[in-house]
Each structure stands twice: as structure tokens, then as C-alpha cells.
Amino acid sequence: MKTQALLLSCGALAIACAGHAIDLDHNDSPQSVPTSSSNDAGAGDVVLLDRSKNLLASFVASDGTRLYWLDIQGELQSCVEPACDGIVTYTRVGAYLGIGFVAAGGHIYWADVDGSIYSCPSSGCAGAPTKVVDDPTLAATVVPLSADGDYVYWPSARDLYRCFAAGCGPTPEVVAHGESGKPAFAGTNAYWLATVDGVRAIRNAPKDGSAPAQTFLSGNFTSIATTAEDIFWLDSSNHVLRCPLTGCDTPALVDDSTGEKDALQFDELGLYWLEGYLDMGEIHYCPFSGCSSGSELLAPTHVQSFAVDSTYLYWVETRSGGGGLVHRRPK
């Protein structure tokens, strides 16, 4: 099992389990763990959030200071890592139903069913949340929000926009005209997937929209992630590849397995992804240098969302009847 430190963090309920997860419906039976290159894919699992603190509906995220989740009641909440203390609720059903959210730069952002984007300090809303912008084209969709520093970014019907956390006045800032991908960030640039003249491509532009968008690389891409130096992507064969942000003639192959992959994430040591199908994913890890002997399995099946930090891996385990338990384990 990998023991080096990584990049984000959250806390613990005192319910530990070596080698398997404890079912809080009092069914304490070992789960089947698939064969993998990991020596023990379940060691150190702790259930963080149980029914007394609400089940997760679908999603977990971390900004390195707080763990965030959308619970089964439709409440967007967080707690302070690593003890998961001081649970904060940002939005509730009937007021601001968050259907897409992201945290960065000391703020959390979400979109509601009417197409408005809101923000609050990560520590909690002092009164009502701040309405950042109204964008009717976002109504009734799961909004693919991104955030970097003090800005929230989103693809609208026509353009890629951004707004400051405190709001953007009558109109948002345009990052790229005619573009609609969810951006990732590196330095002063944003990168996203788009189709240009019928060809799939990774596009990029300055985050402030000071120059037109251009094509960084063309190919059959399905997901991207950016570090300070490199861009990683999944191709149509589910291979993981890498190219320096300065450009490359031949991308480096990081993982050549062909299992269905999604949700690329990273820390300072390597890449993580979900492998499998809807609500049946496994979390896999591969160092940036590649994993020719096979990726490492970090969590077994039934994972629908995950996050990493400097010490821990978190994931939502799909449960019958809706919602999912939040697990934590050392990386």
C-alpha cells in the first residue's frame, strides 16, 4: 500500500474497520474486495458520516481544509478536517437547492434549479448566500462548475464565463467566446474539452479572457486533469496519457489498461480515477511516471464519488435505497 503523503483532508467518526467497511444498518460483514495490485484495498477504512449525520446523496469534495457533501435531504454541508468538526449547512431544500457545487479559494459555489449561481465563504454563510449571477440557460441542469482562486467558472449556452465570488454585476466576464467545456486550470490558463469543426480537442485560453482560445491538442479525449506542469487525459480507449503544458509531439502513456474510466484527480505524487460503470466504480491510483505493472486499487466497487487530500482518500459508497456512506482511509 502506498504510504507517501498526498494533497487534501477530513475527519473521523470513531467507527474503524480493518479490511472491510462497517454497515451502519448493523450488518457488519466483510465486503468482497476485487483482486488488484494493492496488498490490502480496505485497510484502515473509517465511516465518517452515518445516518445520524445524514447520508450523502451523491457527491463528496475537499479543498484541503474542509470536506463537503450534498446529503440525501438536498442540503449542501461541510465540516472542518481532520476531525470533521463544526458541520456547516450552506443551502437547504426549499431555499437554494444546490445541484452543482465546487469549492476553492476559501469559497463554495453552487447552482440552483432556476439557473442562478451562489457563493458563501467556506466557513459558512453570514446571513443569505451571495447571488453571483443569473444565467437562465443553466436552469434544470446539473451545472459543471469549476473554481480557481476567487472566481467561479461555468460553460453557458454560448460562451465560457467566470465571475468573482462577491458577484459580477450585470454581466459575467467572458473567458472564451463560443466555448462550452468545463475548465481545469494551470497557472494563468484554463483548459477544457471541445469539438472544433467536428474534431475533439483540448482547448485553452488565459483565465481572464485576454486572448482568444486556441487548440492545445487534437484527439479523442473524454476527460482531462491539469497539474502545474502537465496535462493528463483519457482517450477513447480509456488509456491515461500525459503531455507537458509546454507541448509535446508524442504523449507519454501513463496507464494502458482499457477499463471504463472517469473523474481524473491528482495530488503531488500521481493520478486517481474511477474505473467501472455507473455507481459501481473502483478507485485506482497510478504515479505520474506511469504504472506499467498495473494501477493500484485503493477502494473496491460501488464508489460513486471520491476526493483526495494530503493524508486521506474519501469516497461515497452507493447504498440501496438512495444515498451513500462516506468512507475515509489513509492513502
Side-chain angles (χ1 to χ4, degrees):
M1 183 176 71
K2 176 169 61 70
T3 58
Q4 301 99 319
L6 308 181
L7 267 188
L8 294 174
S9 149
C10 181
L13 234 66
I15 306 176
C17 36
H20 66 278
I22 291 180
D23 185 336
L24 294 184
D25 285 329
H26 308 294
N27 178 21
D28 185 9
S29 58
Q31 295 179 338
S32 174
V33 178
T35 302
S36 75
S37 60
S38 172
N39 293 326
D40 189 348
D45 286 359
V46 172
V47 177
L48 286 181
L49 299 174
D50 63 9
R51 283 178 173 78
S52 69
K53 292 187 177 180
N54 292 322
L55 290 177
L56 286 200
S58 59
F59 196 75
V60 65
S62 173
D63 62 6
T65 301
R66 307 186 73 93
L67 183 71
Y68 302 84
W69 63 91
L70 184 65
D71 75 13
I72 199 169
Q73 305 299 324
E75 293 187 338
L76 178 57
Q77 300 179 315
S78 77
C79 63
V80 179
E81 305 172 6
C84 211
D85 293 329
I87 291 179
V88 169
T89 298
Y90 304 100
T91 182
R92 297 176 182 274
V93 172
Y96 308 100
L97 177 58
I99 56 174
F101 75 89
V102 65
H107 293 87
I108 183 167
Y109 308 89
W110 67 90
D112 71 8
V113 292
D114 296 323
S116 298
I117 296 175
Y118 295 87
S119 75
C120 273
S122 296
S123 57
C125 305
T130 297
K131 181 182 285 190
V132 176
V133 69
D134 284 317
D135 186 345
T137 66
L138 302 181
T141 64
V142 178
V143 182
L145 300 177
S146 298
D148 186 60
D150 292 325
Y151 287 88
V152 60
Y153 297 72
W154 73 98
S156 191
R158 297 184 180 88
D159 304 307
L160 178 60
Y161 293 118
R162 77 172 187 172
C163 275
F164 192 63
C168 55
T171 58
E173 298 179 24
V174 177
V175 177
H177 289 287
E179 306 281 345
S180 61
K182 178 182 178 180
F185 308 98
T188 60
N189 287 330
Y191 297 80
W192 63 92
L193 293 177
T195 300
V196 180
D197 297 328
V199 177
R200 197 68 169 160
I202 298 174
R203 302 275 284 172
N204 71 309
K207 292 185 293 187
D208 62 3
S210 58
Q214 59 184 352
T215 295
F216 175 80
L217 199 64
S218 295
N220 294 317
F221 311 112
T222 61
S223 181
I224 64 171
T226 53
T227 67
E229 297 179 347
D230 298 294
I231 187 165
F232 297 82
W233 65 89
L234 298 174
D235 67 11
S236 58
S237 298
N238 289 306
H239 299 147
V240 183
L241 297 106
R242 180 188 73 217
C243 184
L245 293 174
T246 53
C248 63
D249 293 326
T250 303
L253 183 63
V254 177
D255 179 76
D256 63 357
S257 65
T258 58
E260 189 77 15
K261 299 180 180 71
D262 196 9
L264 283 178
Q265 296 187 38
F266 65 90
D267 60 18
E268 75 272 18
L269 297 178
L271 289 168
Y272 302 76
W273 61 82
L274 282 181
E275 188 161 323
Y277 294 92
L278 183 64
D279 295 343
M280 295 287 288
E282 303 171 347
I283 303 173
H284 286 250
Y285 165 82
C286 186
F288 290 136
S289 57
C291 49
S292 57
S293 61
S295 59
E296 182 181 356
L297 174 64
L298 299 182
T301 58
H302 303 287
V303 175
Q304 63 187 80
S305 174
F306 74 98
V308 293
D309 67 24
S310 59
T311 308
Y312 296 109
L313 171 72
Y314 308 92
W315 70 92
V316 181
E317 176 197 7
T318 304
R319 308 291 284 178
S320 61
L325 301 178
V326 179
H327 292 253
R328 184 195 72 186
R329 60 158 289 181
K331 292 185 296 186

PDB file of all heavy atoms in Angstrom, residues 25 66 85 102 124:
ATOM      1  N   ASP A  25     -26.244  -0.134   9.067  1.00  0.00           N
ATOM      2  CA  ASP A  25     -27.519  -0.810   9.293  1.00  0.00           C
ATOM      3  C   ASP A  25     -27.298  -2.049  10.161  1.00  0.00           C
ATOM      4  O   ASP A  25     -28.140  -2.929  10.246  1.00  0.00           O
ATOM      5  CB  ASP A  25     -28.146  -1.244   7.961  1.00  0.00           C
ATOM      6  CG  ASP A  25     -28.738  -0.062   7.236  1.00  0.00           C
ATOM      7  OD1 ASP A  25     -29.188   0.874   7.896  1.00  0.00           O
ATOM      8  OD2 ASP A  25     -28.745  -0.090   5.993  1.00  0.00           O
ATOM      9  N   ARG A  66     -11.609  21.701   4.389  1.00  0.00           N
ATOM     10  CA  ARG A  66     -12.945  21.214   4.723  1.00  0.00           C
ATOM     11  C   ARG A  66     -13.342  20.090   3.772  1.00  0.00           C
ATOM     12  O   ARG A  66     -12.914  20.052   2.610  1.00  0.00           O
ATOM     13  CB  ARG A  66     -13.985  22.340   4.628  1.00  0.00           C
ATOM     14  CG  ARG A  66     -13.655  23.581   5.420  1.00  0.00           C
ATOM     15  CD  ARG A  66     -14.801  24.584   5.379  1.00  0.00           C
ATOM     16  NE  ARG A  66     -15.920  24.154   6.195  1.00  0.00           N
ATOM     17  CZ  ARG A  66     -16.111  24.509   7.476  1.00  0.00           C
ATOM     18  NH1 ARG A  66     -15.241  25.303   8.071  1.00  0.00           N
ATOM     19  NH2 ARG A  66     -17.157  24.080   8.149  1.00  0.00           N
ATOM     20  N   ASP A  85     -15.288  18.332  12.435  1.00  0.00           N
ATOM     21  CA  ASP A  85     -15.998  19.116  13.441  1.00  0.00           C
ATOM     22  C   ASP A  85     -16.766  20.265  12.801  1.00  0.00           C
ATOM     23  O   ASP A  85     -16.459  20.692  11.694  1.00  0.00           O
ATOM     24  CB  ASP A  85     -15.011  19.707  14.456  1.00  0.00           C
ATOM     25  CG  ASP A  85     -14.340  18.645  15.305  1.00  0.00           C
ATOM     26  OD1 ASP A  85     -14.993  17.613  15.555  1.00  0.00           O
ATOM     27  OD2 ASP A  85     -13.179  18.838  15.688  1.00  0.00           O
ATOM     28  N   VAL A 102     -18.854  23.463  -6.132  1.00  0.00           N
ATOM     29  CA  VAL A 102     -17.403  23.362  -6.175  1.00  0.00           C
ATOM     30  C   VAL A 102     -16.843  24.302  -5.124  1.00  0.00           C
ATOM     31  O   VAL A 102     -17.450  25.333  -4.805  1.00  0.00           O
ATOM     32  CB  VAL A 102     -16.872  23.712  -7.594  1.00  0.00           C
ATOM     33  CG1 VAL A 102     -17.149  25.167  -7.943  1.00  0.00           C
ATOM     34  CG2 VAL A 102     -15.386  23.405  -7.720  1.00  0.00           C
ATOM     35  N   GLY A 124     -18.957  29.313   6.232  1.00  0.00           N
ATOM     36  CA  GLY A 124     -20.393  29.439   6.425  1.00  0.00           C
ATOM     37  C   GLY A 124     -20.941  30.746   5.908  1.00  0.00           C
ATOM     38  O   GLY A 124     -20.207  31.728   5.761  1.00  0.00           O
TER      39      GLY A 124
END
